[in-house]
Amino acid sequence: MKVLLCTANARFFHVSLALHSIRSNGPDKTNLEIDLKEYTINQEIRDIFGDIISQNPDVIGFGLYIWNRELIFRLGKMIKREFPGIYIVLGGPEVSYTPKEILEENDWVDSVVLGEGEISFWQLMETLDKKSYAPVRGVAQRGEKKTSHWEYQEIEDLNQLNFAYAKSNEAELKNRILYYESSRGCPFSCSYCLSGLDGMVRNRNTELVTKELEMLIAKDIRQVKFVDRTFNADPKHFNEIIDFLVGIDKPLNFHFEMDAAILKEETIERLAALPEGRVQLEIGIQSTNEKTLQAVGRHHAFQKEAEIIKTIKEKTSIHLHLDLIAGLPFESMEIFEKSFNEVFALELDQLQLGFLKMLQGSKIRNQSEVYKYHYDEKAPYEVVSNPWLSGQEFHRLKLIEHCLEETWNSGRLQKTIRFISDYIYEGNVFRFFKELSCVLDDSSYLMSGRNGRWWVERIFELIPLKWGFWSKEIIGCLKWDVITMEKGRWKPEFLGWTDISRASFWQNDLFMNDYLPGYQFKSWRDIQRLYIVEKISPSLLEGVKEEEFQEEETILIQLEESFKWQRIKIGE
């Protein structure tokens, strides 16, 4: 019997941890032939269909999530219609909480795996192979009259599971972002989330975790993302893994989700020992409004979280990624603006603006009538309006999210954004993004491809309309942002550049050694590749207060030294 595990990921470089783990925990000695295929939601459905049926599977196990539900449902119907003898099993959070409805409304589905499937899926395969069709705990099968075993399954001892990628080959993992878990569950019970429904956390043994991480580190991968919902829920577990990461001798990045409110000082000291770029932390703030936090079951004091985040910024070089959710109870546009500004003020590297989704099985979905939520009934079940935010306001927040992602979160125009929000809008960065989002009211802009250069042009166009008094300073910031973004490849004429790329001082080694010890002129190509000299006010680069702004000076910028800059006197 041939078993095919497959799913559709959001992007090519993602990997399905669940399916790799299920395959890894399958039987070794068996007459089952097991294969795994990962597609993306951007592929043509006919191409996916053709590839699946070319495998000649007897059983297909689909992993379903909010991003691929619609595609998998279409695909499953096509397969069952053309090949009715193929047995189709669904699993994942999109079907685990509603097995009865799934089976009643979709005659192409034969079984639904409820919850964690590393054990129950293979028990089902055993019954199918033996043609016994016996009930399996944690699996809902079509035609079963008794449903007492239709229970969401959790594996109590995670140490009994094999390494998720033990049977994965190099081609399946090369240049991918790999997901890994050292624990399951969450100690918190946020109403919009599924991870903490029982409030329990189950850890894998730390020695086992570090052994498996060593195997991952040996592979040709881009990043390891831990999917532990609150990675620092158990400080001892967290600290031991961080200590292990300190000693890695390879440029590899690890991503963790953690709770700032429970982070201890000793852990921050450990984080400070990590080399730059080794770890990035994602911290879910979600809202700073106390009434909102209480309504969704988050008993966190934002001020405490803020102080800990500031300490992380002061003592470590860690990349910080903070999250907000738009659409939570009791958060109007005005209150959300306050949350946005308070979180952005924490000197973060990225601010992810997400939108509330009424996930299957979540507490807040069951409260949707109480809070009068209107949401899309199709995955990903995103809220479109509520009593505190109108549909038009949600749309504006969507446009703001586009601006945020394509500028600040992409590492673009950060000097310009900081200047305008701090000096013109007195720290109200939300107002800046709201103003900027009006550019996207033009539908031709909204539908067109946009990059960093496009945003430079749009901000420049807004200067005389919105910020004319500060035009000189904003242009100085735009110059710096263009330099760091383009490294000299693009210097738009409208910013008024200083053209001294072939000035004679570049050939004066004695003069240049005062600024660049060991400098030796080799070629004009090297000069253009390595350096830029431009007139910019040092105040803009140093963050000097408004009343102390200095006049423009000639600045020498080293492109290959993380944009290290210094004043230079060239006799102008």
Side-chain angles (χ1 to χ4, degrees):
M1 185 171 78
K2 182 166 184 178
V3 179
L4 179 64
L5 301 170
C6 62
T7 192
N9 298 320
R11 297 183 180 181
F12 167 76
F13 53 79
H14 293 171
V15 170
S16 174
L17 172 61
L19 292 193
H20 281 265
S21 184
I22 288 174
R23 178 175 65 177
S24 176
N25 285 279
D28 291 321
K29 295 181 179 180
T30 177
N31 62 341
L32 297 181
E33 182 184 349
I34 303 164
D35 203 357
L36 188 154
K37 300 287 286 187
E38 294 181 83
Y39 306 97
T40 78
I41 56 175
N42 299 313
Q43 289 179 257
E44 290 290 337
I45 191 169
R46 291 291 305 183
D47 293 338
I48 299 174
F49 171 82
D51 191 58
I52 288 175
I53 61 173
S54 71
Q55 311 298 314
N56 296 314
D58 299 297
V59 179
I60 301 175
F62 283 113
L64 274 84
Y65 304 87
I66 54 175
W67 58 82
N68 68 14
R69 177 185 172 117
E70 301 304 317
L71 173 65
I72 297 297
F73 269 52
R74 287 177 59 203
L75 190 59
K77 291 175 186 176
M78 290 172 61
I79 292 170
K80 198 67 164 183
R81 183 175 62 243
E82 299 300 322
F83 300 91
I86 295 178
Y87 191 95
I88 296 179
V89 186
L90 304 186
E94 266 303 289
V95 294
S96 286
Y97 301 96
T98 55
K100 184 174 183 292
E101 293 82 356
I102 294 293
L103 291 172
E104 287 179 350
E105 297 169 10
N106 301 278
D107 59 5
W108 54 275
V109 180
D110 296 297
S111 292
V112 179
V113 174
L114 315 180
E116 299 170 8
E118 285 97 340
I119 296 174
S120 55
F121 179 80
W122 295 113
Q123 290 173 340
L124 173 64
M125 294 303 101
E126 184 180 359
T127 67
L128 295 181
D129 190 40
K130 294 178 179 178
K131 297 183 169 51
S132 67
Y133 307 107
V136 177
R137 188 166 176 264
V139 177
Q141 300 183 60
R142 178 170 299 283
E144 291 184 312
K145 295 181 180 179
K146 293 183 178 181
T147 60
S148 57
H149 60 285
W150 290 16
E151 300 173 345
Y152 187 95
Q153 293 299 293
E154 289 185 347
I155 297 168
E156 187 173 335
D157 181 10
L158 298 183
N159 297 314
Q160 69 178 293
L161 296 179
N162 297 329
F163 176 41
Y165 301 106
K167 297 179 180 178
S168 305
N169 61 51
E170 184 178 349
E172 292 172 326
L173 306 181
K174 188 175 181 179
N175 295 321
R176 303 292 187 94
I177 294 175
L178 293 195
Y179 296 89
Y180 180 81
E181 59 185 355
S182 69
S183 67
R184 291 181 182 176
C186 180
F188 306 108
S189 300
C190 304
S191 63
Y192 49 79
C193 183
L194 303 177
S195 297
L197 291 177
D198 64 359
M200 300 291 290
V201 178
R202 294 159 288 143
N203 290 329
R204 278 171 79 76
N205 181 280
T206 308
E207 290 183 6
L208 187 60
V209 171
T210 55
K211 180 181 178 182
E212 293 176 351
L213 289 178
E214 286 176 344
M215 289 188 277
L216 286 181
I217 292 165
K219 299 180 183 295
D220 187 8
I221 56 177
R222 300 170 52 179
Q223 184 186 50
V224 177
K225 280 196 172 186
F226 277 65
V227 297
D228 306 45
R229 285 301 145 199
T230 306
F231 184 59
N232 60 323
D234 181 342
K236 182 176 182 295
H237 181 79
F238 178 89
N239 289 341
E240 289 177 355
I241 294 174
I242 293 298
D243 288 345
F244 168 78
L245 298 183
V246 171
I248 294 174
D249 185 23
K250 189 176 181 180
L252 187 61
N253 177 260
F254 295 82
H255 178 103
F256 302 104
E257 294 183 36
M258 52 160 271
D259 189 296
I262 61 174
L263 196 63
K264 305 298 182 184
E265 181 66 29
E266 64 172 296
T267 300
I268 296 178
E269 296 298 333
R270 281 179 157 88
L271 293 173
L274 289 164
E276 186 172 0
R278 176 58 46 79
V279 163
Q280 63 186 44
L281 296 180
E282 181 175 353
I283 301 174
I285 304 296
Q286 318 312 4
S287 173
T288 67
N289 184 40
E290 186 174 348
K291 187 175 181 180
T292 296
L293 294 173
Q294 292 293 324
V296 297
R298 285 182 65 84
H299 305 291
H300 291 63
F302 170 68
Q303 291 307 320
K304 180 180 179 181
E305 289 182 304
E307 289 303 315
I308 293 172
I309 290 169
K310 289 176 184 176
T311 303
I312 294 173
K313 289 294 293 183
E314 290 169 1
K315 294 189 174 183
T316 79
S317 60
I318 285 176
H319 177 100
L320 275 182
H321 176 154
L322 307 185
D323 300 339
L324 285 175
I325 296 177
L328 296 175
F330 307 114
E331 195 155 57
S332 63
M333 194 69 145
E334 181 181 359
I335 294 174
F336 185 80
E337 178 176 330
K338 180 174 179 290
S339 290
F340 191 102
N341 288 329
E342 288 178 335
V343 172
F344 202 92
L346 296 175
E347 301 293 330
L348 45 76
D349 296 291
Q350 288 190 31
L351 171 57
Q352 180 172 310
L353 171 51
F355 292 83
L356 180 62
K357 297 172 178 61
M358 295 295 188
L359 300 177
Q360 298 273 12
S362 66
K363 183 178 178 181
I364 203 164
R365 185 181 177 110
N366 297 330
Q367 296 172 328
S368 60
E369 292 186 9
V370 175
Y371 287 123
K372 297 181 172 60
Y373 273 108
H374 295 161
Y375 63 93
D376 190 342
E377 293 183 358
K378 291 187 176 181
Y381 318 111
E382 200 165 276
V383 171
V384 295
S385 71
N386 65 26
W388 306 278
L389 286 171
S390 67
Q392 290 85 351
E393 288 173 319
F394 267 103
H395 176 65
R396 178 56 53 195
L397 288 173
K398 277 288 187 181
L399 297 182
I400 289 171
E401 190 256 349
H402 288 317
C403 298
L404 178 66
E405 283 299 311
E406 295 167 20
T407 58
W408 183 272
N409 286 350
S410 298
R412 301 167 177 157
L413 297 161
Q414 293 189 350
K415 182 71 70 177
T416 304
I417 292 168
R418 277 291 184 201
F419 178 84
I420 295 174
S421 60
D422 287 350
Y423 292 109
I424 301 179
Y425 294 140
E426 299 179 336
N428 192 334
V429 69
F430 183 85
R431 184 179 169 194
F432 164 76
F433 280 112
K434 191 173 181 181
E435 293 271 12
L436 189 61
S437 73
C438 293
V439 170
L440 299 179
D441 288 338
D442 183 332
S443 60
S444 64
Y445 281 161
L446 184 60
M447 300 302 292
S448 65
R450 302 180 296 274
N451 57 21
R453 296 181 181 185
W454 188 92
W455 282 110
V456 171
E457 293 167 353
R458 301 292 80 74
I459 290 176
F460 180 78
E461 290 169 355
L462 288 173
I463 292 174
L465 301 175
K466 303 283 186 182
W467 316 302
F469 180 79
W470 296 92
S471 61
K472 187 176 181 180
E473 289 78 12
I474 295 173
I475 288 174
C477 291
L478 283 173
K479 282 184 177 180
W480 178 261
D481 285 329
V482 167
I483 289 168
T484 57
M485 185 172 68
E486 295 287 341
K487 295 186 177 181
R489 293 184 295 266
W490 180 64
K491 296 170 73 174
E493 291 184 8
F494 55 77
L495 293 181
W497 298 86
T498 303
D499 187 13
I500 50 177
S501 61
R502 287 183 177 253
S504 60
F505 68 85
W506 291 112
Q507 294 175 301
N508 187 337
D509 292 353
L510 184 62
F511 170 77
M512 290 302 296
N513 266 268
D514 289 341
Y515 301 98
L516 302 170
Y519 171 90
Q520 184 178 10
F521 178 81
K522 294 181 179 179
S523 69
W524 291 115
R525 176 178 294 180
D526 276 351
I527 296 300
Q528 293 176 339
R529 179 175 61 86
L530 298 174
Y531 311 107
I532 285 180
V533 171
E534 187 52 52
K535 287 186 175 180
I536 300 175
S537 168
S539 301
L540 299 175
L541 308 183
E542 295 171 342
V544 180
K545 293 181 180 178
E546 171 188 342
E547 61 269 18
E548 300 175 13
F549 276 145
Q550 302 166 345
E551 290 298 314
E552 289 183 343
E553 295 185 39
T554 305
I555 303 297
L556 168 64
I557 304 161
Q558 296 171 247
L559 300 179
E560 291 196 343
E561 294 291 334
S562 299
F563 308 104
K564 181 180 177 181
W565 66 272
Q566 58 182 303
R567 295 168 175 84
I568 183 172
K569 301 292 185 182
I570 56 175
E572 300 164 282

